[in-house]
Amino acid sequence: MSSYTQEKAVAIDAVLRASRVCQNVFNKLVSSETITKKDKSPVTIADYSAQAVVNTVLAKAFPNDPIVGEEDSKDLHGDAAANMREKIEELANSVLEESQTITQLLAAIDRGCYAGGSTGRHWTLDPIDGTKGFLRGEQFAVCLALIVDGQVRLGVMGCPNLPIDAKNPSGAKGCLFVAVEGEGAFQRPFDGQELQPIKMSTVNTTADSSFCESVESEHSSHSDAAQIAQLLNITKPPVRMDSQCKYCSISRGDADIYLRLPTRADYEEKIWDHASGNLLVQEAGGKVTDISGKPLDFSLGRTLKANKGVVASSASIHAEVLAAVQKVLAKN
Ligand SMILES: *[C@@H]1O[C@H](CO)[C@@H](O)[C@H](O)[C@H]1NC(C)=O
Ligand SMILES: *[C@@H]1O[C@H](CO)[C@@H](O)[C@H](O)[C@H]1NC(C)=O
């Protein structure tokens, strides 16, 4: 008997609609000639529209479930934001089944203000992760997870620009990833129906493995990663991409190791940045801890306050990877 069947179906529907809204924003606002490259407002519009869409879909199916979302509507009130409200209303309604007023959409966005915690059930949403990848037309992700009593039970990620087959990077794009606790990890094309099981690759030694790392080095230091790679005798070039698509990429064996090294001592990772990826990697046969080897603790509110950084890899090499991470971080 599969658990969370209805939640899974609703989350897939929500993530696919939100992915479509992001693609619509990109096609309308980013790829058009009318805005300059530095204009970040399309990201903002996509963020709000995607959160409004996901929260509207969730609220209809599960009216009592609170949501920990990245955005709130406080910057969307007042005359200065009128233009933005108009765009959000048009875009969100372009993918929703029942048309919503802007007042309803703002209320939906604010369903994301829940504080999280260790009891009961709540969702966590990153409406668009990887904003730079989004603006470049490269990798970004819509990430949604269900947390029950502090544990991630269901994770769904939409990666609109990720090639369905990593070996054919110019082929069809748009992948949906799904994991249910204890039931495995799966992928399907956006326009396909069948979920196919995915697995981390089975590498026996770190020398045969490769990193998946950020395009932007500010998220996680490339020079530390290079030293770690050296300690692990890794010679394969890293696979570089923005966003939590990195979790998806290693889950299906395109690369083996994803590190998020702490860049500031006081930074607390957000639960919506890691909940679905954490479950996906574990269900694909991998292991995820922080840099001290502790599992990620999603029960402490909106952030992973008890953890520093993330080390995700095939289970068979995790101990060696962790040891190399600790050695390099202790030195630098
Ligand atoms: C890795 O381990 C598997 C299973 O233990 C084994 O079948 C395979 O030959 C090993 N590969 C290498 C390159 O040693
Ligand atoms: C890396 O290679 C060196 C030299 O061959 C070896 O001593 C070391 O154990 C290797 N490290 C790992 C993690 O495989």
Side-chain angles (χ1 to χ4, degrees), residues 282-304:
Q282 298 193 74
E283 289 298 324
K287 184 166 177 180
V288 185
T289 68
D290 70 0
I291 57 166
S292 67
K294 283 190 295 194
L296 304 186
D297 185 347
F298 291 91
S299 75
L300 300 174
R302 294 174 66 90
T303 67
L304 297 169

Side-chain angles (χ1 to χ4, degrees), residues 1-5 7-8 120 144-156 177-186 275-285 295-296 298:
M1 235 316 261
S2 182
S3 24
Y4 300 112
T5 311
E7 286 82 354
K8 182 165 93 174
L144 180 63
L146 175 66
I147 296 176
V148 181
D149 296 334
Q151 292 279 339
V152 185
R153 313 290 179 168
L154 163 71
V156 176
F177 294 85
V178 180
V180 178
E181 185 187 38
E183 295 178 17
F186 300 86
S276 44
N278 178 69
L279 184 64
L280 190 71
V281 167
Q282 298 193 74
E283 289 298 324
L296 304 186
F298 291 91

Side-chain angles (χ1 to χ4, degrees), residues 224 227-232 318-330:
D224 283 351
Q227 288 177 50
I228 293 163
Q230 198 172 18
L231 274 180
L232 294 170
H318 189 273
E320 279 161 287
V321 175
L322 187 62
V325 166
Q326 291 173 347
K327 199 162 170 184
V328 168
L329 292 183

Side-chain angles (χ1 to χ4, degrees), residues 266-286:
D266 60 348
Y267 184 73
E268 293 180 0
E269 299 285 344
K270 308 296 186 288
I271 62 169
W272 54 81
D273 279 331
H274 301 286
S276 44
N278 178 69
L279 184 64
L280 190 71
V281 167
Q282 298 193 74
E283 289 298 324

